[in-house]
Amino acid sequence: MVVNLVLPLIFAAAIWWVSTGVVIWLIGLPERTFKATALIATLVLGAATIMLLALRDDVSLSGAYVGFLVGIALWAWHELMFLLGFLNGPRRSPCPPDLTTWDRFKASSETVIHHELVIAAHAVVIVALSWGAQNKVAAWTFLLLWGMRISAKLVVFFGAPRLSDDFLPSHLNYLKTYFRKTASKVFFPAAIMIVTSVAAVLAHRASAFELGTFESLGFLMLAALATLAVFEHWALAAPIPDAALWSWASQAPGGDAGGLNTRPSASQKRAN
């Protein structure tokens, strides 16, 4: 029974760690490799979409694990397209000085609006393809990552004193000017409360099912992912050396260090 509890948590954390490292490593490669990376990522996206359909009625334990992997793969495509510079926004210049909060929000939104719209459209497609399916692990994984990412982006916008931009690729350096490295006394506590509550609700849902079942496994992996998002939120305000977790991937041979997480906190290290 312990294995049925611990294994899903370890699996979710390992996939989160490895997938993040892969993205960081790919972004650190020379820019001449970016088009090939984008092409391969898009092929993986297509394969993941096919798997999403194939898993609709698969409520086996392997179906839950593969569904989680599919959700991560679907999300990773968006992270790569953004970090490779193929899917950003119309504004690709530094933030103008002395902007009001609202004007800074509009300016920073223009740096990522194309990316945000594509994510939203893709979320609608994923939900539509999963509608009525028995296995919705992939869809819920994607939506959870999206929600945690939005929360982290808002934390960055309102103020994140421990914000790290070490993994941001050099061709996106202009985004650093949109970061606000001051503490937010209102939004940060609210965000922490929300993401912690989400993790707690998912853990509670997992406990409602017998360990070793499809439902328990799915909710345990989602709860683990949400808990990792809580960790990443705290890393924005507390002296937590989270970047050290991916030091093995932060410098690709012949390229610049760079990258960003595929998890909800991934967005922490780029502009709003």
Side-chain angles (χ1 to χ4, degrees):
M1 297 298 287
V2 175
V3 172
N4 291 330
L5 173 63
V6 176
L7 186 58
L9 304 180
I10 294 177
F11 180 82
I15 295 302
W16 167 82
W17 179 65
V18 172
S19 61
T20 296
V22 170
V23 169
I24 291 173
W25 185 80
L26 288 172
I27 299 306
L29 292 172
E31 287 195 25
R32 65 177 180 273
T33 67
F34 284 7
K35 289 184 179 180
T37 297
L39 175 60
I40 294 172
T42 301
L43 293 175
V44 172
L45 175 69
T49 303
I50 293 173
M51 286 302 301
L52 178 70
L53 293 171
L55 291 169
R56 281 181 56 87
D57 299 317
D58 186 347
V59 292
S60 64
L61 297 185
S62 60
Y65 280 117
V66 176
F68 185 81
L69 285 172
V70 167
I72 294 293
L74 294 171
W75 179 257
W77 183 85
H78 292 278
E79 295 294 343
L80 276 171
M81 291 303 104
F82 180 88
L83 293 169
L84 292 172
F86 296 132
L87 189 60
N88 304 90
R91 180 185 289 271
R92 300 198 178 207
S93 57
C95 181
D98 304 322
L99 293 182
T100 63
T101 299
W102 175 243
D103 287 338
R104 186 168 67 88
F105 177 80
K106 290 193 295 182
S108 59
S109 296
E110 290 174 358
T111 66
V112 296
I113 188 62
H114 296 159
H115 187 226
E116 298 298 333
L117 291 175
V118 171
I119 291 177
H122 196 190
V124 171
V125 171
I126 291 172
V127 170
L129 293 177
S130 302
W131 198 264
Q134 296 184 63
N135 185 344
K136 295 185 177 70
V137 174
W140 281 115
T141 299
F142 184 93
L143 293 175
L144 178 62
L145 286 167
W146 186 25
M148 297 297 100
R149 175 183 180 275
I150 290 174
S151 174
K153 285 169 66 66
L154 289 174
V155 169
V156 170
F157 177 78
F158 287 107
R162 295 286 180 174
L163 175 66
S164 171
D165 52 24
D166 295 342
F167 293 153
L168 195 68
S170 58
H171 59 274
L172 297 180
N173 275 340
Y174 65 91
L175 294 178
K176 296 179 181 180
T177 63
Y178 294 86
F179 296 162
R180 186 177 184 183
K181 296 186 177 182
T182 57
S184 170
K185 296 180 180 180
V186 177
F187 190 82
F188 179 75
I192 287 293
M193 182 177 66
I194 292 172
V195 295
T196 302
S197 296
V198 170
V201 168
L202 290 170
H204 178 70
R205 288 289 294 156
S207 68
F209 299 95
E210 182 181 354
L211 285 175
T213 62
F214 170 83
E215 293 82 5
S216 173
L217 175 57
F219 279 115
L220 280 172
M221 290 189 292
L222 292 173
L225 198 58
T227 300
L228 292 168
V230 174
F231 165 78
E232 287 294 336
H233 275 65
W234 275 111
L236 290 171
I240 300 175
D242 62 323
L245 291 171
W246 298 278
S247 59
W248 57 273
S250 62
Q251 182 66 53
D256 297 325
L260 209 62
N261 303 336
T262 58
R263 59 200 185 282
S265 55
S267 51
Q268 302 163 1
K269 299 183 176 81
R270 58 175 181 271
N272 300 281

